[in-house]
Every structure is written in structure tokens, then in C-alpha cells.
Amino acid sequence: MKNSSNPKPADKAIAWLQTQLPKLVLAPSFSIILLFVYGFIIWTVYLSFSASRMLPNYEWVGTEQWERLWNTLTWQTALDNLLIFGVLYIVLCLAIGLLLAILLDQKIRLEGGLRTLYLYPMALSFIVTGTAWKWFLNPGLGLERTMQEWGFESFEFNWLIDPDMAIYTVVIAGVWQASGFVMAMFLAGLRGIDNEILHAAQIDGAPTWKIYTRIIIPQLGPVFMSALIVLVHLAIKSFDLVIALTGGGPGNATALPATFMYSYSFTRNQIGVGASSAVFMLITVAAIIVPYLYSELKGSKK
Amino acid sequence: MSNNSQQHGLKTARLWRALIYSVLIIMAVIYLAPLFVMVVTSFKSLDEVRTGNMMALPLEITFEPWLKAWQSACLGLDCGGINGYFWNSLKMVVPAVLISTFLGALNGYVLTKWRFKGHQIIFGLMLFACFIPFQIVLLPMSQVLGWLGLANSTSGLVLVHVIYGLGFTTLFFRNFYEAFPNELIRAAVMDGAGFFKIFRYILLPNSAPIIVVTIIWQFTNIWNDFIFGASFASGEAAPMTVALNNLVNSSTGVKEYNVHMAAAIIAALPTLLVYVVGGRYFVRGLMAGSVKG
């Protein structure tokens, strides 16, 4: 009683600590993020305007590195490849994922087992996936010879070493790895749809395909959005898969911005150019992620 | 309605079911094929790999490729197999997962139950950190790891994975605790429980599902990481993924596809195991997080 009517400084300090404690707990993590994410972003942006080559050099040279980047042929190839890879990867993953989810939603007996099967590639490292597909698509020993031995003697499949086609092998392996995950997202979305509307439509005699195209798929909008965000961001970051599958080759045929950044920064001693390419990657990701996060956070405030 | 048309309807329905099942099964075969090829190849002798069919079962099962991959395959000049790198990965993944999960739980707790002004901005900044392409931090990070004396070390990788895992772990716990009843917290405060006591005795005991999800997520991501490993830990300290890539791409001598496949399976085993054991919780939890918004 004495304490409460006449608080000692120590108690005051404890009371202060109690109110500040949550902030103190959050502070280390938040400072780490500020420094190692946002601080590093600024740092890399600065490097992209510096004279850095083999070692970081903080002399400001304006847009020299950026000009160098855009005049590099490999960078142009990397952007073209990203467009081809990104569009095909996203469209195919969404299409296959949605198809599998709808099929699995038809009260399938082995649903659990099949779902697990479609999803397992997602648990693997891209390096493992790349290694496996490299072997599977090996022009001399893999699929090509298997098909020939099975009687399709004119079967040819040498995309892996064909500069014009190699990027499509990256698409195949990428879709194989991620489509199961998209399937799982759609399946969860399908399960979340209100059954009563479906029953009503069924009683009205609407055919199944019509129920899907008119009622169910339009309701999957938010899932489409989440899947799209995940896939866009995976496509832009794709690095390991290319390294393991094609090493960026043949030549530079499968170079992507991520592999470009790595090779210019760490093996070609062009840190400035590497930094510019990294900044460009961040801008592309941010252009898609920031509006999405903003709407999500605003939405959750309500 | 004549009996005839009813029978016809039944027939088409059956046909549809058959079609659905065939598509699902064909897809299952496609998803399984690469894994199947990996496994059978890893048990074949190199001669059989070269002369036989990729899809065929091994005529003679040999464990040689597995032994070689584990203890005597050459990665560049080092011919000690991949076992050392496997342990590197394990030594990296365990502390990194535990620390980032614990911090994520604390952060999620503060951001939902002890909100203060600006919590939304702080959370937004942490959330965006999940999505940055890591290329943007590679150059500064390699410099900082050098200054800290952590370049080319497992501890350096632990630090990196803790830092860049924080966004996701915080996100998971925040979304989970968001749904946790505030009344319970208020009642505990009334009873005089403090900040940590509430966390320890009320939130943590109810967090099992989200802890499992976070641990699985972090474990797979960190184990499967390549870009940080390749950038910050070459040589002796390299993690498994980097070692596998070196093994497969080392250009000296004959390509030992069977050894490569055995090594790839070894690299995949921990995450496959985690997926088989905890997959159900993982999917359920991911769904809760991703479909919510």
C-alpha cells in the first residue's frame, strides 16, 4: 500500500519497462530488417551508381553502370528469356493447377494420395530438380533414347542443347515443380466456396461445367491473385533451377536476370553492372508486390 | 423420362469419371517420372546407365553409387564425397530455424497483442522484406560478412538465414495470433500476468500448429537455399545444394550419372522426409495464410 501511494523510482522504472517491453522485444528484429534489408537496398542502389568493378568502389560515376547494363547483349537476352519463361511458367502453372484442383474436387477416391504426389516437387531444392531434369532430358541418354527404344525411332528431343529451345526446358522443369503448389492453393479456394449456392444451382439443373465457369471460377479471384503474386515473384527470382539445369547455356541462351546478376557480380568482376541489374530486379518485383501488399494491409485493417 | 435416356445419362457420367481418373493418373505418372528415374539410375552401374533404358529397373542393384556419392566422389580437388557438406547443411539449418521461429513468435505476439502506434507500418516493412529478390542484398552482405569475419562459414549462413527468414516467420505468427482471442490476454493482464508470462503460459501452449508450419517452411527454404550458399560459403563450408551442383558440374573425367542421382536423392531426403511426415500440417497452414487475404 505504501508502494502504490508513494512509488519508488525503481517501481517507476519497472512500470516504464512494462509499457515499453513490447517495443523493446520487437526492436532487435525490426532494426535488423531496417539495416539488412532497407539499408542494403540503399547500399546496392548506391553501388549501381559507383565505379565498382572487381571491388566495391564508392566513387560516384552517375548512370555509367546503368548504360553499360542496357548495352550488354546478355542482359537483353536475359530480359527476353524472363519474358518467355515468366509468361509461360505463370500461365501453365495456373492452368494446370486449376485443372488438377477442379478434377481433384470431383470426390476422387485417392484424393489425399494424389494431392501429396502432385505437391512433392515443391519440397525439393531447385538444384535437385534441375539435376534430375538435366538427366531426364539428356539428349543422348534420357527421354530421347527411351522413346526410341520404345519404338518411336524418329523421336528427337535435344532442347537442352539447342540454343533456341533450351529456355523451354527451364519452363518444363519450373512448371513441374510449382504447378502442384498452385493446385493446392486452388483446391483450398474451392473448398472455401459456399455450398448452398452450388446446391441451388444444381437443383436448377445447371450442368457441372456451367457451375464452374459461371459460379465457381469467378469466386476464385483472390486465390488467382495470391497464386499470381507467388508465381511472378518466383519467376523473377529464378536462379538455382537455371544454374543446375543449363548453367545459363548453351552460350547465354538461358540467362535470366538473376543469373546475369550473379555472374557479373561474382565471376566477371563487374560489381557496378551487377548492382544495377539487382536494382532492376527489385523494381520489377516491387511494382507488383507493393500495390498488392498495400491493398492486403488496408483490407485487414477493417 | 424413359428408361433408355436415364441409362444413357448413367453411361456418360461413367465415361466422365473414367476420363477424370485417367487425366489424374497420367499427371501422377508425369510428376513421378523424374523421381523414379533418379531412384533407378542411382542403383545402376555406370555401364548399365550408358547402355540401358532410363526407365528400366536396374538389372543388378548396386549400392556403389550411393557409397561413392557419400564418401569418395570428387568435387573439384576434394574427393571426400558429400557427407561433409550434408553436415554443414544440418549445422546451418537447425540453429537458423530455431532462432528465426522463436523471434517470429515474439514479433507476431507483439504485433497482434501489444500493438502500438505504427505497428501497421512496421509489419508492412517486414512483410515486404519477404519478397525482395535476394540479389539486392548479395553485394552488401558479402562485404558485411567479411567485416564480421563470417565469410565462408556456417555461422555466417546461419546469420543470413535468420535475418531473411524473419519476415516470413513474423508473418506466419502474426496471422495466427490475430485470430487468438484478446479476452484471454485481457483476463491474464487483470490477474497480474506480465508480458513474458502471457507469452509463455497462454500463447505458446496454443501455438503448436503454427510452430509446425513455420519450422517446416523454414527448414525447407533454408535446406534448399542455393544463392546464399553459393555467394557466401564456397569450399569447405558450402552447404549441400552448392556441393551437389559442384559435383554434377565438375567437368573432369566421365560423367557418373548414377553417382549424381544418388547425391541428388541424398540432398533431397531431409526435405522429402519433412514433407512426408509434416506435409499435411504444412499445406493446411499455408492455405490458412495464403487464401486468407
Side-chain angles (χ1 to χ4, degrees):
Chain A
M1 231 170 273
K2 227 181 199 173
N3 280 351
S4 60
S5 60
N6 188 15
K8 287 182 212 153
D11 289 338
K12 249 188 182 166
I14 288 169
W16 180 85
L17 200 67
Q18 281 289 349
T19 56
Q20 299 301 316
L21 204 53
K23 289 182 203 177
L24 286 176
V25 167
L26 195 60
S29 298
F30 187 58
S31 332
I32 283 173
I33 296 278
L34 273 187
L35 185 70
F36 285 86
V37 175
Y38 296 94
F40 280 13
I41 288 175
I42 296 168
W43 191 337
T44 307
V45 171
Y46 187 91
L47 281 175
S48 78
F49 290 104
S50 75
S52 305
R53 289 250 174 158
M54 195 173 132
L55 293 167
N57 173 339
Y58 295 98
E59 187 198 331
W60 181 270
V61 294
T63 56
E64 200 179 286
Q65 308 284 9
W66 283 88
E67 282 159 31
R68 203 171 282 155
L69 173 72
W70 287 97
N71 288 326
T72 306
L73 212 61
T74 318
W75 176 246
Q76 303 293 346
T77 314
L79 288 182
D80 290 346
N81 282 340
L82 180 62
L83 199 69
I84 297 174
F85 170 73
V87 170
L88 284 175
Y89 171 75
I90 290 166
V91 169
L92 288 174
C93 279
L94 288 176
I96 294 174
L98 182 61
L99 176 76
L100 287 179
I102 289 177
L103 293 183
L104 270 187
D105 199 34
Q106 310 301 317
K107 303 197 173 62
I108 296 299
R109 205 173 284 237
L110 298 165
E111 194 203 311
L114 286 169
R115 210 180 40 209
T116 312
L117 242 171
Y118 298 149
L119 206 62
Y120 88 88
M122 201 66 196
L124 302 179
S125 157
F126 282 109
I127 294 293
V128 170
T129 309
T131 307
W133 278 91
K134 190 183 193 165
W135 168 227
F136 197 75
L137 299 177
N138 184 308
L141 296 168
L143 193 62
E144 188 175 279
R145 197 172 72 191
T146 306
M147 294 303 269
Q148 284 167 359
E149 277 191 16
W150 281 349
F152 303 92
E153 266 154 43
S154 59
F155 186 88
E156 255 185 65
F157 198 84
N158 57 358
W159 285 9
L160 205 57
I161 51 165
D162 179 347
D164 292 328
M165 301 308 284
I167 187 72
Y168 299 102
T169 61
V170 184
V171 175
I172 295 174
V175 170
W176 176 80
Q177 179 147 21
S179 48
F181 179 68
V182 179
M183 178 272 309
M185 291 178 85
F186 277 126
L187 198 58
L190 288 174
R191 297 285 147 84
I193 288 175
D194 191 1
N195 273 326
E196 273 172 42
I197 312 171
L198 299 185
H199 276 304
Q202 265 163 354
I203 289 167
D204 284 349
T208 314
W209 66 269
K210 232 179 191 169
I211 296 182
Y212 270 100
T213 51
R214 298 279 170 81
I215 304 175
I216 297 182
I217 295 178
Q219 283 201 47
L220 290 177
V223 188
F224 262 107
M225 202 58 211
S226 307
L228 191 69
I229 294 291
V230 171
L231 290 172
V232 167
H233 138 269
L234 277 178
I236 295 174
K237 289 191 354 181
S238 285
F239 171 73
D240 331 16
L241 185 62
V242 176
I243 295 288
L245 187 63
T246 62
N252 288 317
T254 51
L256 285 178
T259 61
F260 177 95
M261 187 276 164
Y262 188 84
S263 84
Y264 272 69
S265 305
F266 295 107
T267 55
R268 290 188 187 217
N269 300 329
Q270 294 281 351
I271 285 184
V273 176
S276 325
S277 65
V279 174
F280 180 83
M281 288 177 68
L282 179 75
I283 294 171
T284 6
V285 171
I288 293 153
I289 299 289
V290 170
Y292 176 73
L293 289 185
Y294 188 74
S295 67
E296 288 276 290
L297 285 177
K298 262 195 125 176
S300 71
K301 227 176 200 174
K302 283 181 263 175
Chain B
M1 256 199 222
S2 75
N3 199 20
N4 208 352
S5 78
Q6 222 170 9
Q7 250 178 2
H8 181 73
L10 212 70
K11 230 178 181 175
T12 23
R14 262 206 210 128
L15 215 71
W16 267 115
R17 297 297 285 175
L19 191 69
I20 290 174
Y21 272 98
S22 359
V23 173
L24 286 173
I25 288 167
I26 290 171
M27 288 307 280
V29 170
I30 295 175
Y31 279 94
L32 265 183
L35 183 69
F36 176 77
V37 169
M38 277 168 87
V39 174
V40 292
T41 307
S42 74
F43 288 112
K44 287 177 184 170
S45 69
L46 201 54
D47 276 343
E48 214 187 316
V49 170
R50 283 224 210 80
T51 55
N53 186 317
M54 171 176 70
M55 293 292 211
L57 290 170
L59 293 171
E60 221 175 294
I61 292 182
T62 166
F63 293 94
E64 192 91 4
W66 284 75
L67 277 176
K68 187 157 187 198
W70 184 248
Q71 47 179 259
S72 65
C74 295
L75 298 85
L77 294 176
D78 158 39
C79 288
I82 52 169
N83 66 78
Y85 305 98
F86 188 90
W87 301 126
N88 282 349
S89 272
L90 211 59
K91 274 186 253 169
M92 162 185 85
V93 81
V94 172
V97 167
L98 293 180
I99 297 169
S100 61
T101 303
F102 177 71
L103 289 175
L106 275 179
N107 295 342
Y109 169 54
V110 172
L111 285 170
T112 51
K113 304 301 170 206
W114 297 86
R115 283 180 173 159
F116 45 84
K117 230 180 139 204
H119 72 93
Q120 198 81 356
I121 294 169
I122 290 186
F123 180 59
L125 286 172
M126 292 186 85
L127 196 54
F128 179 66
C130 300
F131 293 100
I132 55 162
F134 289 133
Q135 280 74 16
I136 199 75
V137 298
L138 286 186
L139 291 164
M141 197 70 204
S142 66
Q143 187 104 54
V144 168
L145 286 176
W147 288 337
L148 294 174
L150 292 174
N152 287 331
S153 76
T154 302
S155 341
L157 283 186
V158 171
L159 179 74
V160 171
H161 285 301
V162 167
I163 293 172
Y164 298 107
L166 270 180
F168 270 115
T169 59
T170 302
L171 168 71
F172 286 157
F173 279 98
R174 181 211 175 252
N175 285 352
F176 185 78
Y177 289 152
E178 187 93 301
F180 194 86
N182 283 328
E183 290 73 35
L184 273 177
I185 313 283
R186 242 173 262 139
V189 172
M190 291 294 201
D191 288 347
F195 178 85
F196 286 111
K197 230 180 186 167
I198 295 174
F199 180 64
R200 166 79 183 76
Y201 292 102
I202 299 179
L203 283 159
L204 268 193
N206 289 301
S207 303
I210 199 63
I211 291 177
V212 172
V213 168
T214 311
I215 288 181
I216 295 175
W217 172 269
Q218 284 295 87
F219 185 91
T220 2
N221 271 346
I222 298 174
W223 184 275
N224 288 345
D225 160 73
F226 178 73
I227 188 156
F228 286 142
S231 311
F232 307 139
S234 48
E236 293 270 285
M240 189 62 221
T241 47
V242 176
L244 173 63
N245 191 51
N246 289 343
L247 172 72
V248 173
N249 289 320
S250 60
S251 48
T252 47
V254 213
K255 287 247 178 251
E256 296 179 295
Y257 295 108
N258 51 357
V259 176
H260 297 176
M261 289 306 118
I265 298 171
I266 294 172
L269 273 181
T271 49
L272 276 182
L273 195 73
V274 165
Y275 170 70
V276 170
V277 173
R280 261 177 306 149
Y281 306 97
F282 182 54
V283 175
R284 214 179 294 157
L286 270 188
M287 291 309 102
S290 62
V291 178
K292 222 179 168 185

